[in-house]
Amino acid sequence: MLICANWKMNLNQEESLTLFKEFLKVKTANEIVVFPTSLSIYSLSDELKKANQKNIKLGIQNFYPSEAGAFTGEITISELPENIDYCLIGHSERRTILNESDYFVEEKINFALEKSKKVILCVGESIEVRKIGKAQEFILNQLNSALKSVKSLDNIIIAYEPIWSIGTGLVPTKTEVTEIINVIYEKFPTQILYGGSVTDQNISQFKDIEKLSGFLVGGASLNLEKFEKIVSMLN
Ligand code: PGA
């Protein structure tokens, strides 16, 4: 399984390094991908090189899809250390708070693939959309738009993250997750993750969903004990 730890805008450089060193000691056959803040990525990259740990990878939470130029405050992929393998794209916090459009998400995906990165593409419906029974349609629209010009799904991993579940403690039922995963898989047969309030307390209900390849964990990945439990439950 693939277990992603999205640290969002949490942990300063020292705290990130301390937690990452602990992650490097976690024994697992699964793959763990840590998404620290951009400011911490160099020190974690150095630590990863020293550790030579094959099961832990690093990813970037954000970048701008251009090689260089007048993009104040942005960072590009070529500036990153080489051992950053993954890019998180389309997270609902970036879509809603930073106004990233479907078009921009598509551009970011194409740019990341050109740079030989693996993409974790996040999709998910709001509570309003779910209530009117349009969740599947909404998610397929997001995917069709984001992956319009993608020729192969080889480096694309899809993360189903219902917006109403992120950081709220609310989780969909196993049936609801299974339905969405199956609908996605039918059109986009690739690795699919679930994300949204995943903890050591609720992960067991999802882990045997047939087409589910892993999890995207936010809050619980900031706590070593909780994250270790999550990883061990998936071993
Ligand atoms: P959460 O975040 O686990 O804190 O709900 C998940 C995410 O936003 O990726």
Side-chain angles (χ1 to χ4, degrees):
M1 285 224 156
L2 181 61
I3 311 159
C4 298
N6 178 11
W7 289 354
K8 307 191 181 185
M9 200 178 71
N10 294 298
L11 309 179
N12 63 27
Q13 292 190 51
E14 202 184 320
E15 291 162 343
S16 299
L17 191 56
T18 305
L19 186 57
F20 189 64
K21 282 181 180 169
E22 293 302 322
F23 276 26
L24 288 168
K25 293 182 202 153
V26 174
K27 297 223 175 348
T28 179
N30 295 308
E31 182 160 294
I32 296 174
V33 187
V34 179
F35 292 88
T37 65
S38 305
L39 289 175
S40 305
I41 209 131
Y42 266 91
S43 52
L44 269 56
S45 150
D46 287 344
E47 197 60 33
L48 184 61
K49 276 182 214 153
K50 277 193 268 167
N52 198 19
Q53 230 278 26
K54 296 272 179 289
N55 292 339
I56 301 203
K57 307 271 195 247
L58 280 168
I60 189 88
Q61 294 176 23
N62 183 44
F63 62 93
Y64 193 85
S66 185
E67 199 49 54
F71 304 105
T72 303
E74 292 298 316
I75 58 167
T76 191
I77 289 179
S78 321
E79 287 173 7
L80 300 172
E82 269 173 27
N83 61 350
I84 308 301
D85 293 314
Y86 287 83
C87 296
L88 196 60
I89 301 180
H91 192 283
S92 69
E93 285 151 14
R94 296 210 62 88
R95 290 183 194 257
T96 54
I97 306 168
L98 282 305
N99 291 322
E100 290 193 3
S101 64
D102 282 342
Y103 174 72
F104 193 61
V105 167
E106 183 198 355
E107 263 195 301
K108 286 177 89 172
I109 292 171
N110 294 339
F111 191 79
L113 293 176
E114 254 173 52
K115 297 287 165 193
S116 308
K117 301 296 173 195
K118 292 188 182 175
V119 168
I120 311 267
L121 165 61
C122 303
V123 292
E125 81 287 0
S126 64
I127 194 66
E128 293 78 18
V129 169
R130 175 153 286 273
K131 278 189 180 150
I132 57 165
K134 299 253 186 228
Q136 297 185 5
E137 188 183 325
F138 181 84
I139 288 160
L140 286 178
N141 281 343
Q142 279 188 321
L143 287 167
N144 283 326
S145 156
L147 300 173
K148 223 175 8 228
S149 42
V150 166
K151 293 194 181 61
S152 152
L153 293 172
D154 281 355
N155 285 320
I156 304 282
I157 296 140
I158 296 167
Y160 168 52
E161 296 209 300
I163 300 172
W164 49 274
S165 175
I166 296 175
T168 59
L170 300 171
V171 286
T173 62
K174 182 180 179 184
T175 313
E176 286 169 332
V177 174
T178 308
E179 266 169 21
I180 299 287
I181 302 288
N182 287 343
V183 164
I184 296 175
Y185 192 85
E186 207 182 310
K187 275 215 81 195
F188 301 96
T190 187
Q191 291 186 79
I192 305 172
L193 316 180
Y194 168 74
S197 293
V198 171
T199 66
D200 50 312
Q201 304 294 314
N202 60 26
I203 199 161
S204 52
Q205 60 183 306
F206 303 120
K207 68 177 188 184
D208 57 352
I209 294 175
E210 200 193 336
K211 298 277 187 307
L212 192 71
S213 298
F215 295 90
L216 177 48
V217 188
S221 72
L222 295 165
N223 178 303
L224 179 63
E225 203 186 319
K226 285 187 187 161
F227 192 69
E228 269 179 333
K229 269 197 201 155
I230 288 174
V231 173
S232 69
M233 288 169 98
L234 299 174
N235 273 344

